[in-house]
Amino acid sequence: MKIDPEVTAEANLNWGKAVADSFAKLGIFDVFFSPGSRSTPLILGFERNTNFSTYPVLDERSAAFIALGFSKRTSKPTILVCTSGSALTHWFPAVVEASHSGIPLFLLSADRPPELQNCGAGQTINQINLFGSFVRSFHQICLPELKTKPVNKLINSINEAFLNCLGQNPGPVHLNFPFREPFLSSKTETFIDLDYPKLNTKFFAPDKNQYAQEIKSISNEITNSNKPIIIAGEFAQPDHLLKWLNNYSIPVFCDSLSPLRNINFKNRILRYENLLRDKAFINTHSPDLVIILGPLPTSKTLRQWIDKSGSKRIIIEPRGINVDPLNSPSSKYSLPYEYLEKLIFRKVDPNWANKWTSKEQIISSILFTTLSEELPNFEGKLSYLLSLHIPINCQLHVSNSMPIRDVEWFWNAGDKRIRLYGNRGVNGIDGTVGTAIGIAHKSCVPTFLLTGELGFLHDSNALLFSKQFEGSLNIFLINNKGGGIFENLNVVEQPEFEKCFVTPQDCNFENLCLAHKVDFKQPKNWNEVVTLIQNPIKQGIRIIELKTDRKSDKEMRQKLLSIRA
């Protein structure tokens, strides 16, 4: 079959324009892309539409995590574009994290046409359903044509993907675009007028009858509870919880990333790791009901205590997915958090919360007296200092491994309305720097990142975006020469431990910063650290390296977590 190259080029350019116009009508205007030839029609479509902000990122893996971080902060979908072949496979870690965390992303991959599939053509793999169950939907787009029917089919696919991306369980969607060459016309470009189908927003209408039934069912389960406990996850927002809980004496355990950590609330519990390690205390303070809002916190101590408590357990997860890893029986509901205030407790012990908060205050007082000492090499102190001195309304992204645990254990309750972030979907260290850059990019407030050196090095390629970066990102890099979390494993005494598990690195971070033209600091004491926290960089990226000792860190954590009231 002979194909006119000018018709092909014109169809490609019209296709790219139709894609950009469709997303503009949906109100999605931010595009992160990596360079490539096959994706030319898509890139030019977005670049030539003045509605869009487009950001080139050299490698696809960094682009995906930067886009993920950007969507985290804005709570809106972001568009990713790449060329064909291995390019989109580099998105995979971020796609998996976005899927498990409920972060909406549009994945737009260019592809070779059918005649170049399965014949050894360069940069060609099978891209059909590449991400499997990790995307909310997959859409194979037809080859570009200058006809109304195919264009409307394209637009309908984008609209359908939009609805899948922002449904009850938000997440990534994948649209795969095959293109034939040539991508550019040798003649004057012409564009056809398009008749856009209307978006069916009925998809987003809540099922009020379903929620009414769930409210009734949960109310029946809690009505006789005398000693309930609530565990507030990362996504349960204060405006939903405070209306509901201010009138009850219920202890609220706050996840390491819970917004309640940074807003005044009299019944919040942050020292549950210490409290639940106290056998005498937990033997006399057993709840009759545990309500968990979203995924559980990191603490193994908390999870084991819940499992062994024998308490009735209710899981409320608006996304309608199973987030319960425990063995004990539970009831699961998909009630949105804005409906929580309709749940009524009738028999709560009026002194129940005070029995927890009074002990919490004693532990906090001892804990913070100890942390106020010099402790020159204890990395956990940095989480404590950040909670005290980070400017109001700022943002903090916390890496997995030990940083997220230190925040859980040593963060001081406050009222600074700090927004806490973390990639808790699959709990990996990959994408740490890229996600923080995405959160900070074009944000109007300073952003901080708390990470270990392995998490930083795993994603240091994201610093290539520093030239285009607009914002304030302050990276506190804890260098303990290896993976400190592995010090808690039984394999710690084995001769293979250092080589095979801790994997210490020997990187000169100052030189790395110099290569990327980002600011570098290495404070000599905690006073200098506090000054750097209180005075974040005004524009750009600053890396602050703190050298610690993971062996002594382990011992200090054990000491602090053994504090009893």
Side-chain angles (χ1 to χ4, degrees), residues 379 399-407 409 484-485 488 557:
E379 66 186 66
S399 175
N400 289 313
S401 198
M402 289 315 302
I404 193 72
R405 288 166 173 80
D406 283 341
V407 167
W409 296 335
I485 194 168
N488 300 289
R557 286 190 183 95

Side-chain angles (χ1 to χ4, degrees), residues 547-562:
K547 293 185 177 182
T548 67
D549 185 315
R550 54 185 152 84
K551 299 290 185 183
S552 61
D553 283 345
K554 176 185 175 181
E555 295 174 1
M556 179 54 67
R557 286 190 183 95
Q558 290 174 343
K559 174 183 175 181
L560 294 174
L561 295 178
S562 66

Side-chain angles (χ1 to χ4, degrees), residues 259-539:
L260 285 180
R261 286 178 169 252
N262 300 294
I263 190 169
N264 272 338
F265 177 56
K266 61 182 178 180
N267 292 338
R268 63 184 164 188
I269 301 294
L270 271 59
R271 309 277 81 81
Y272 49 83
E273 186 72 30
N274 294 73
L275 290 167
L276 299 181
R277 292 186 182 205
D278 185 346
K279 292 183 178 180
F281 178 79
I282 62 173
N283 286 340
T284 56
H285 293 77
S286 181
D288 57 18
L289 172 68
V290 178
I291 298 178
I292 305 171
L293 307 178
L296 280 165
T298 305
S299 172
K300 286 185 178 180
T301 304
L302 173 62
R303 295 179 180 215
Q304 291 169 357
W305 173 72
I306 294 171
D307 231 1
K308 295 177 181 178
S309 69
S311 305
K312 178 187 289 187
R313 196 154 55 87
I314 294 174
I315 316 293
I316 301 178
E317 170 50 69
R319 291 177 290 170
I321 62 175
N322 184 11
V323 293
D324 181 15
L326 305 184
N327 296 318
S328 53
S330 63
S331 302
K332 299 177 178 65
Y333 298 94
S334 56
L335 187 72
Y337 294 139
E338 56 262 37
Y339 288 84
L340 289 174
E341 60 183 283
K342 296 182 180 296
L343 302 177
I344 298 173
F345 294 92
R346 302 187 184 280
K347 298 183 179 181
V348 176
D349 178 352
N351 295 316
W352 176 234
N354 184 60
K355 293 175 181 178
W356 289 82
T357 56
S358 60
K359 295 290 185 180
E360 160 120 342
Q361 290 167 6
I362 295 172
I363 291 171
S364 292
S365 177
I366 301 171
L367 180 66
F368 298 141
T369 297
T370 306
L371 284 169
S372 296
E373 298 172 0
E374 181 56 22
L375 302 178
N377 295 316
F378 178 50
E379 66 186 66
K381 182 167 180 174
L382 181 55
S383 296
Y384 165 69
L385 291 176
L386 280 166
S387 69
L388 292 181
H389 301 291
I390 192 170
I392 192 169
N393 292 325
C394 285
Q395 303 172 137
L396 172 64
H397 180 59
V398 186
S399 175
N400 289 313
S401 198
M402 289 315 302
I404 193 72
R405 288 166 173 80
D406 283 341
V407 167
E408 185 173 42
W409 296 335
F410 307 127
W411 190 267
N412 184 46
D415 192 31
K416 292 186 173 184
R417 297 184 178 269
I418 307 303
R419 290 190 66 182
L420 297 170
Y421 297 93
N423 285 343
R424 300 300 299 161
V426 287
N427 302 345
I429 63 168
D430 43 350
T432 297
V433 180
T435 303
I437 288 174
I439 291 169
H441 184 55
K442 290 203 166 179
S443 175
C444 60
V445 298
T447 302
F448 293 76
L449 167 63
L450 177 61
T451 181
E453 86 278 14
L454 296 190
F456 177 88
L457 289 170
H458 199 280
D459 197 37
S460 63
N461 216 36
L463 293 176
L464 291 168
F465 191 72
S466 60
K467 184 178 179 180
Q468 301 157 257
F469 174 72
E470 297 178 35
S472 165
L473 178 59
N474 306 266
I475 300 176
F476 280 92
L477 190 160
I478 298 167
N479 185 357
N480 59 15
K481 293 194 178 296
I485 194 168
F486 295 114
E487 294 288 340
N488 300 289
L489 299 180
N490 293 332
V491 76
V492 68
E493 301 297 336
Q494 302 304 312
E496 299 86 356
F497 179 67
E498 286 288 321
K499 174 185 175 181
C500 299
F501 295 89
V502 178
T503 58
Q505 305 298 307
D506 188 20
C507 176
N508 186 314
F509 291 101
E510 185 173 9
N511 286 346
L512 181 62
C513 291
L514 185 63
H516 288 284
K517 298 180 180 178
V518 301
D519 193 34
F520 176 81
K521 302 290 183 184
Q522 197 176 66
K524 299 181 179 63
N525 53 53
W526 289 119
N527 287 335
E528 291 187 12
V529 169
V530 169
T531 299
L532 289 166
I533 296 173
Q534 293 174 333
N535 299 278
I537 192 170
K538 295 186 182 302
Q539 166 59 41

